[in-house]
Amino acid sequence: MRLCVLDGRSTLLTAEGEVDVETASGGRFSRDVARLYTEWTVFRLWADGFEDAPGDAQPELDRLGALSPSPSQVLAIGLNYVDHAAESGFAVPEVPIVFTKFPSSVAGPGEDVRLTGDEVDWEIEIVAVIGTGGRSIPAERAWEAIAGLTIGQDYSDRAVQFAGAPVQFSLGKSFAGFAPIGPVLVTPDALPDPAEVVLECAVAGEIMQRAPLADLILPIPALIEFLSDVVELRPGDLVFTGTPPGVGFGREPRRYLAAGETVRSSATGIGWMSQTFR
Ligand code: ZN
């Protein structure tokens, strides 16, 4: 299944074109995407009656909204790719590094973002959107708890992130628009193999990050098991799974975003999104 929020309404991208969920279900399922995650199992069964749109064509970015506009929690993983840990000057962690992006930072896939300072950085990530969720989810059952995957940017103001000692990750990653997600949610069955899902982030046309999802140190099912041992994962929650190497902070010399620059983020089988900094 390929699900998006088109002009504010839950919409399936099918072989026959765009299908408005509320209209096609005779009002059984909501136009409000957040409500779909609360009854994900029955919604999946209904939506499986439609054939997916081929390839990863997507509607115009300015018509697309956030796939979970007000999640109860946004969990994020630090240093989950070997070479990103190295470029950041950290050892590969023995346990996952977990922080939050506060939910008010979530945005749609094509919204402009306010440049908050001179050290704003990009971090393309794959984001898992929680469907049924729960607690103590074993890795073998993790995909049943996830609604699907999409692309996210874990924008980070490094000056705020690294102010003080010890450093605090969450605040510098939670400015308005610093957690854009999209363009579409793709269910696990409709995704290519992780080795074929290539993440790519370009800044002002220059490719900065490029890596397959298979390079994750801790794969998504293991992350869900680890997180849900502590936190109850709720419908619509977001899990940012970590960024591959190539962020501005890790470059020599360092390179940060400037006003007017556009960041384009894509992933094979999912689509692409872009934000311009103002
Ligand atoms: Zn990140």
Side-chain angles (χ1 to χ4, degrees), residues 181-197:
I181 53 170
V184 303
L185 177 133
V186 183
T187 49
D189 60 291
L191 281 164
D193 184 85
E196 288 161 28
V197 177

Side-chain angles (χ1 to χ4, degrees), residues 1-3 12 14 19 21 25 29 36 40-52 187:
M1 184 207 311
R2 298 176 67 79
L3 173 71
L12 297 175
T14 78
V19 171
V21 166
S25 69
F29 296 108
L36 301 182
W40 189 253
T41 308
V42 280
F43 173 67
R44 262 299 294 275
L45 277 174
W46 175 79
D48 279 348
F50 296 90
E51 195 183 329
D52 285 342
T187 49

Side-chain angles (χ1 to χ4, degrees), residues 77 99 123 125 154 173 242-243:
I77 308 298
F99 57 93
E123 292 192 1
E125 312 204 357
D154 175 16
K173 291 167 172 278
T243 198

Side-chain angles (χ1 to χ4, degrees), residues 106-186:
V106 172
E111 295 174 31
D112 287 353
V113 183
R114 186 174 71 88
L115 191 67
T116 56
D118 300 329
E119 297 180 31
V120 176
D121 206 346
W122 54 88
E123 292 192 1
I124 187 175
E125 312 204 357
I126 290 294
V127 174
V129 182
I130 301 299
T132 55
R135 281 192 191 272
S136 303
I137 303 161
E140 314 84 78
R141 308 206 61 173
W143 287 115
E144 297 167 29
I146 295 170
L149 302 185
T150 190
I151 306 165
Q153 267 287 348
D154 175 16
Y155 287 124
S156 305
D157 186 321
R158 302 298 187 198
V160 177
Q161 181 182 350
F162 295 124
V167 300
Q168 47 174 332
F169 275 28
S170 297
L171 207 55
K173 291 167 172 278
S174 293
F175 287 97
F178 271 33
I181 53 170
V184 303
L185 177 133
V186 183

